[in-house]
Amino acid sequence: MIKKRISGIWNYLIGDAPQFSLQSRIYHSICIITILVIFYTIPFSLLNNLPWLALLSSGLLCLQIFLYYLSRYRNWLNTSMIIYAVIFNIFFAVSYYFSSGIQGSVLFSFITVHFLIIATAQKKHYWLWTLGNIILVISLIVYEYYHPEFIIDSYNDRVTRFIDITSTYIVTILLIFACLTYIINNYNVEKRIADNSLSKLQQLNEEKNKLLSIVSHDFNSPLSNIQTYLDILERTDLNPESRKELEKELRQVTNDTQHFLNNLLLWTKKQMEGFDFSIAAIDINKCLYGTVEICRNLAVNKGISFEYEIHQDTFIKTNNDIYQLIVRNLLNNAIKFTPSGGNITISSVLDKQFLTLQIRDNGKGIPQNKQNQIFTSTVKSTFGTNNEKGTGLGLRMCKEFTEALNGKIWFKSEDGKGTTFFLQMPLGYHFE
C-alpha cells in the first residue's frame, strides 16, 4: 500500500505519460533528484565550514525548484533545460576553484551534469553540449596547472577529503543508475506501446484489405446479377412460368445482397467504433419470432422442412437486435448449404445458468480442413446448394458479436452429413 502511494506521488511529480513526453518525464525526474542532492549539499557544506557554499547551494536550490516549475507546470521544457545546463556548469566551474580543484570532487559533478543534460537534450544538440563540457573542464584544469595559487583547499584534513570524494562518487553512480534505469524502463514501456500500436495497425490494415476485397468482388457480383435479371425482364417477352422463375431468382439475389449489406455495415461499424450494445433480459421466443418466420419461408421455398423447438417463457441476457442478427446469419447459412428435401431444426437446451440455441441441418457440412478457419478472416467465399453466394464475413461477425454479448458460439460438423451450430447465452430469468 505504501509502495503504491509513493509510486503515485512520484508519477504525479514527474507527470503522466499521456500528457508529458518521455523526455519531459526524465527531465522532471532529474530536477527532483537534483533538488534532493542540493538539500544534501547544504548541511554537508556547513559541517565542513563552507558557509559560502551552503549559501550558494541555497540559491541554487531555489533556482532548481523554479526550473522544475517551468517545465512541469508551464510546459517550458527546452527553456528550463538550457537554463539548468548553463547554471549548473557555471556553478561547478566556480566550485572547482573553491573546492581544491583537481584534488577535490567537482570533476565527478561535471560528469553527472553532462550525463543528465544528454539524457534530456535534443539529439541535434548532443555534440554541442559534449564539446562544451570537455572544453570547460580542460580549461579549468589547464588554468589550475599554470595558476595553482587560485585554488582554495577546502578540506580541513585528509578524512574530510576522502569523505567528500567518496560521497560524491556514490551520489554520481546512484544518479546515473537511477536515470539509466528510468530511461530503460520507460523505453521498454514505450516500445511495448509502439508494438501494440503496430499490431493494431496491421490488424486494421488486414481488415481494410478484407473489406475492400469483399466490396470489390462479392458485392459487385450480386449487383451485376440483379442488373442482368432486370435487363432480361425488360427486354425479353417471357412466358409466365419463366418470368416467375426469374423473379424468384431475382428475389433470392436481392435478399442475399440485402443480408450481406446489413452484415457489412454492422461489421464495419464495429471495426470503426467498437461495441456499445445494451444488454437486457429478453424473451427469446418474442425476440426470434420475426426472424424465424422469414427464414422458415425461405426454407420452405427451397423445399426444406423447418422445425422450431425452443423452451417457452425463457429469458436470456442479450441485445435484442444483435441476437436476431446472429441467429439470422446462422439460419441463412443452414438454408444456403442444405439441399431441397433437407431438414433444419432450431432447438434449445436449458440449464441453471445458460440457454444454448442449437441450429442443426443435414446439408453439405464443413470439410475438416476448413473447420479451423470458419470464424476467421481467412475463410473464402462459398456457394450454397443453389449457388447462393456467401462472403465468409457472416460467421466471423457472429463470433465477434456473440463474445461482445458475453456468450459463446461453436459448431460440430461432418462433411456431407450436416452441421450444428451452438449459441449459448446467460439466462435472464425463467418461468417454470
Side-chain angles (χ1 to χ4, degrees):
M1 186 66 180
I2 295 176
K3 183 178 179 181
K4 187 175 180 180
R5 183 174 297 176
I6 292 173
S7 177
I9 294 172
W10 176 258
N11 289 333
Y12 170 76
L13 290 174
I14 66 173
D16 297 325
Q19 185 179 358
F20 294 94
S21 66
L22 177 59
Q23 183 187 21
S24 296
R25 300 198 306 272
I26 292 172
Y27 178 69
H28 297 160
S29 303
I30 290 170
C31 287
I32 294 169
I33 293 171
T34 303
I35 290 170
L36 295 176
V37 171
I38 296 173
F39 265 122
Y40 156 80
T41 303
I42 294 172
F44 183 85
S45 300
L46 293 173
L47 289 173
N48 285 278
N49 197 27
L50 296 171
W52 61 268
L53 185 56
L55 182 63
L56 189 60
S57 296
S58 299
L60 199 62
L61 177 63
C62 295
L63 177 62
Q64 181 57 67
I65 293 172
F66 176 69
L67 292 178
Y68 167 74
Y69 166 79
L70 281 182
S71 179
R72 174 63 177 81
Y73 296 101
R74 298 296 298 274
N75 205 26
W76 291 0
L77 170 65
N78 291 330
T79 302
S80 178
M81 193 277 295
I82 291 171
I83 296 173
Y84 174 94
V86 172
I87 293 297
F88 274 88
N89 274 301
I90 293 174
F91 172 77
F92 287 119
V94 173
S95 298
Y96 182 84
Y97 286 99
F98 288 92
S99 301
S100 303
I102 201 168
Q103 300 298 319
S105 62
V106 176
L107 287 181
F108 286 120
S109 300
F110 277 112
I111 295 172
T112 305
V113 168
H114 180 64
F115 174 78
L116 298 179
I117 291 171
I118 291 298
T120 56
Q122 297 180 10
K123 187 177 181 180
K124 61 183 179 181
H125 295 152
Y126 285 176
W127 279 107
L128 179 64
W129 289 114
T130 301
L131 287 174
N133 181 273
I134 292 172
I135 291 170
L136 176 61
V137 171
I138 290 178
S139 298
L140 291 171
I141 294 172
V142 170
Y143 192 82
E144 178 189 359
Y145 182 80
Y146 288 105
H147 302 281
E149 66 275 9
F150 284 98
I151 300 299
I152 298 174
D153 189 357
S154 60
Y155 300 112
N156 297 324
D157 50 41
R158 189 164 175 263
V159 173
T160 305
R161 183 190 303 275
F162 271 73
I163 292 174
D164 182 36
I165 294 175
T166 303
S167 62
T168 304
Y169 166 78
I170 292 172
V171 169
T172 299
I173 289 296
L174 290 177
L175 278 172
I176 293 174
F177 169 78
C179 191
L180 273 178
T181 301
Y182 184 79
I183 292 172
I184 292 170
N185 289 340
N186 278 273
Y187 167 78
N188 291 332
V189 170
E190 297 286 338
K191 186 175 182 299
R192 282 196 297 272
I193 293 173
D195 289 343
N196 290 336
S197 298
L198 178 61
S199 177
K200 289 179 181 178
L201 187 61
Q202 290 173 339
Q203 184 179 356
L204 286 174
N205 190 54
E206 290 175 2
E207 303 292 356
K208 179 205 71 175
N209 291 337
K210 173 71 174 175
L211 182 61
L212 290 175
S213 174
I214 290 171
V215 171
S216 63
H217 181 269
D218 296 319
F219 198 51
N220 182 61
S221 178
L223 287 178
S224 298
N225 289 339
I226 292 172
Q227 181 66 46
T228 301
Y229 290 143
L230 291 173
D231 287 342
I232 293 173
L233 288 172
E234 182 182 1
R235 298 176 183 177
T236 308
D237 188 15
L238 300 174
N239 60 54
E241 259 185 47
S242 299
R243 190 178 187 87
K244 186 176 181 180
E245 184 64 29
L246 194 59
E247 288 174 349
K248 180 180 178 182
E249 292 179 8
L250 179 59
R251 189 183 302 110
Q252 179 64 51
V253 172
T254 305
N255 180 74
D256 290 343
T257 305
Q258 184 181 26
H259 174 66
F260 161 63
L261 181 59
N262 288 335
N263 284 348
L264 183 62
L265 290 174
L266 272 171
W267 181 76
T268 304
K269 185 175 185 294
K270 187 277 292 184
Q271 297 299 322
M272 296 178 66
E273 301 177 7
F275 293 110
D276 187 21
F277 301 145
S278 59
I279 296 178
I282 64 168
D283 186 321
I284 186 172
N285 287 283
K286 290 181 180 179
C287 171
L288 295 181
Y289 177 78
T291 297
V292 168
E293 288 305 306
I294 292 172
C295 292
R296 188 197 302 274
N297 290 333
L298 291 174
V300 170
N301 288 336
K302 193 175 177 180
I304 300 170
S305 65
F306 191 97
E307 299 177 25
Y308 181 82
E309 304 168 355
I310 297 182
H311 289 79
Q312 296 298 311
D313 300 321
T314 305
F315 290 75
I316 57 175
K317 291 179 182 177
T318 189
N319 178 278
N320 188 82
D321 296 331
I322 301 303
Y323 189 72
Q324 287 183 50
L325 174 71
I326 296 169
V327 174
R328 184 163 62 247
N329 270 278
L330 297 178
L331 287 173
N332 279 333
N333 270 359
I335 295 168
K336 186 182 300 179
F337 296 107
T338 301
S340 178
N343 175 264
I344 293 175
T345 302
I346 176 169
S347 60
S348 62
V349 175
L350 191 63
D351 60 29
K352 292 181 179 179
Q353 292 182 308
F354 302 99
L355 180 137
T356 303
L357 201 67
Q358 298 181 352
I359 298 175
R360 182 183 296 106
D361 67 67
N362 59 352
K364 294 169 61 175
I366 304 171
Q368 187 68 34
N369 62 346
K370 293 183 178 179
Q371 291 188 12
N372 61 346
Q373 302 175 1
I374 288 299
F375 293 124
T376 70
S377 59
T378 58
V379 65
K380 296 181 179 179
S381 301
T382 52
F383 291 89
T385 55
N386 282 359
N387 285 327
E388 305 99 323
K389 188 71 163 52
T391 64
L393 177 64
L395 287 177
R396 179 187 173 183
M397 187 183 64
C398 285
K399 182 174 178 61
E400 292 178 355
F401 284 3
T402 299
E403 291 175 350
L405 295 173
N406 302 317
K408 293 181 181 179
I409 186 171
W410 69 97
F411 69 92
K412 292 180 181 178
S413 184
E414 190 173 348
D415 194 9
K417 294 187 178 181
T419 303
T420 302
F421 274 88
F422 302 88
L423 180 61
Q424 185 181 84
M425 289 289 167
L427 285 173
Y429 48 93
H430 176 64
F431 294 108
E432 295 292 353

